[in-house]
Amino acid sequence: MAIIDENKAQQYIWINGELIKWEEAKIHALTHSLHYSGAAFEGERAYEGKVFKLAEHTNRLIESARSLQMQEPYSFEEIIDAHKLIIKENRLVNCYIRPLIWRGGESLNMTNKMLSVNLMIATVHLTPRAEKNFDLNISRWRKPHPNSLPPQVKSSGHYNMNIVSQSEAKADGYDDAIMLDWRGYVAECTTTNIFFVQDQQLITPIADAFLNGITRQTIIELAKKLGLAVKEKYIKIEELDSYEECFMTGTALEVRGVNSITLTEKKIVFEYSKITQLLKKEYANLVRKEYE
Ligand code: PMP
C-alpha cells in the first residue's frame, strides 16, 4: 500500500472503539457499503487540537446514518470522546478528520439483519499547499432531485457524480466544477458551497437541493455580524456575469476565491476583492480564535 504521507505510518485509525495502526486498518472486500455506496461520513478540521463545530458535524453524521437506516453504533458523547482520543494519540494539532459509518461485509443481501454497522475515525495530516483561486466550469451532471437522494444526508452515494464532475473539470484544465440542480439552478461545487457578491451583498443558492454546509452556515452568520446583507435565491447561469466576486466555502478549503467560471459560450472572470478577502480573514480568525 502506498503511504502518501509519511506521518500516516505512525498514526492510528479509531475503528469500533480500538486504535488500529494505519497500515493494519483494512476492511473486507465484500463490505456492503463498498458495493452499494451506503456509508455516512463527515469531513472535519481540527485547529490547535480542537475540532471546529464538532457537535454540528457529529449530529450531521448521526442524522445521515439514520437516514440510511443505520442506527449509529456509538452515542454522540462516545463519538466526541473518540475524536479527542484519536487526535491526542496521533499527536496532531491541525488536521483533517474523516469519521465514517458503514455496513460490514457479513452479507451482500441488501437488507440482511445480520449486517453490522461500524464507525471509523481517521485523521489526515494537513500539508500546506499553495493557495490558488479556483477556475471552474459547469458540470454536465446535475444534483439529484431531493426525492431521490436527500440532499442534507452526507452519504457516499452522493459523491459518485461529484467525483466524475471534478475529474472531468480537471481533465479540461479547471480546478473544480459547479453542479446545477435538477431544475438547472446553480447548486454547489463538488465539495464546497458557492457564494457570489453584488453591491456589497452576499448571494448564495437556496439549500434545498444540495448540502447546506456547516461552513456555509458559519459564513452567513459571520457576514450578518459584519453588517453584510445575505440573500438566498435560485440562481440561473445567465445571471452569473452580473456578479462581482465569487467564492467557495467548505471545511477543508475554508473560504476560497473563484477566479473564473467558464460557460459553453463565455468565460466570466471575477474580482478577488474586498468581501471575499474580508470573509476569508474573518473565517480564519474564527476557527482559530474559538480555542485560544
Ligand atoms: N457540498 C459538498 C458536496 C460537500 O462535500 C461539502 C463538504 N462537506 C460541502 C458542500 C461543504 O460542507 P461543509 O461546510 O459542512 O464542509
Side-chain angles (χ1 to χ4, degrees):
M1 189 179 89
I3 294 180
I4 312 153
D5 174 341
E6 65 195 24
N7 289 304
K8 287 175 187 168
Q10 281 93 49
Q11 284 188 22
Y12 295 100
I13 298 185
W14 187 103
I15 303 182
N16 291 333
E18 284 182 57
L19 293 173
I20 310 285
K21 280 195 185 142
W22 179 277
E23 58 274 22
E24 289 163 15
K26 300 190 173 133
I27 56 167
H28 198 272
L30 291 186
T31 296
H32 194 279
S33 295
L34 178 65
H35 292 256
Y36 304 120
S37 275
F41 71 97
E42 271 306 314
E44 304 160 353
R45 244 182 112 155
Y47 298 90
E48 307 309 325
K50 302 260 172 55
V51 184
F52 184 64
K53 304 266 181 198
L54 179 55
E56 287 83 347
H57 281 286
T58 304
N59 280 326
R60 188 167 72 183
L61 177 71
I62 290 173
E63 285 309 314
S64 297
R66 287 182 186 170
S67 302
L68 300 175
Q69 305 245 336
M70 293 188 287
Q71 180 61 38
E72 67 278 10
Y74 294 88
S75 68
F76 176 88
E77 290 75 21
E78 287 168 329
I79 298 175
I80 302 277
D81 287 346
H83 276 79
K84 291 183 185 152
L85 181 69
I86 190 75
I87 290 171
K88 186 169 145 265
E89 289 298 323
N90 284 342
R91 296 191 298 278
L92 286 168
V93 182
N94 297 306
C95 62
Y96 179 81
I97 302 146
R98 165 56 52 83
L100 179 118
I101 295 180
W102 82 100
R103 285 193 179 89
E106 295 82 4
S107 170
L108 280 181
N109 183 300
M110 297 280 279
T111 56
N112 191 320
K113 289 208 164 53
M114 298 299 289
L115 282 162
S116 60
V117 178
N118 307 274
L119 170 66
M120 74 163 81
I121 305 174
T123 57
V124 178
H125 183 72
L126 285 172
T127 31
R129 282 196 209 133
E131 277 264 324
K132 168 192 185 299
N133 287 345
F134 273 32
D135 292 298
L136 306 175
N137 73 352
I138 308 276
S139 174
R140 64 199 173 108
W141 302 102
R142 291 192 176 188
K143 304 293 298 178
H145 190 286
N147 286 350
S148 61
L149 209 50
Q152 303 317 329
V153 173
K154 200 162 159 62
S155 107
S156 51
H158 267 295
Y159 285 82
N160 294 323
M161 298 329 289
N162 297 29
I163 291 168
V164 173
S165 299
Q166 192 183 107
S167 59
E168 286 181 351
K170 285 185 173 164
D172 288 340
Y174 303 100
D175 300 298
D176 196 9
I178 289 180
M179 299 188 73
L180 307 179
D181 70 17
W182 87 99
R183 297 161 292 203
Y185 293 130
V186 170
E188 59 177 356
C189 299
T190 63
T191 59
T192 51
N193 292 120
I194 193 157
F195 283 84
F196 300 92
V197 181
Q198 187 181 46
D199 300 331
Q200 305 280 311
Q201 178 178 237
L202 289 196
I203 295 162
T204 193
I206 296 170
D208 63 0
F210 59 86
L211 192 73
N212 183 7
I214 292 168
T215 321
R216 175 186 184 275
Q217 295 170 48
T218 307
I219 287 294
I220 291 176
E221 259 175 53
L222 205 54
K224 287 180 178 166
K225 274 195 198 140
L226 293 167
L228 296 167
V230 180
K231 189 163 159 189
E232 293 173 75
K233 67 186 283 266
Y234 295 119
I235 299 174
K236 296 187 187 138
I237 307 182
E238 300 83 69
E239 66 196 82
L240 291 183
D241 62 1
S242 65
Y243 299 135
E244 298 143 17
E245 301 176 41
C246 174
F247 61 90
M248 303 147 76
T249 62
T251 298
L253 221 55
E254 302 183 324
V255 175
R256 182 62 63 99
V258 172
N259 184 42
S260 70
I261 300 176
T262 299
L263 313 176
T264 352
E265 71 292 359
K266 64 178 161 195
K267 177 173 175 174
I268 302 164
V269 178
F270 297 96
E271 300 161 23
Y272 178 52
S273 59
K274 261 193 8 232
I275 309 256
T276 305
Q277 292 185 40
L278 171 72
L279 288 167
K280 188 177 175 63
K281 196 174 101 226
E282 292 290 330
Y283 183 80
N285 288 341
L286 178 73
V287 293
R288 285 159 186 97
K289 194 170 67 192
E290 283 213 351
Y291 304 110
E292 271 171 9

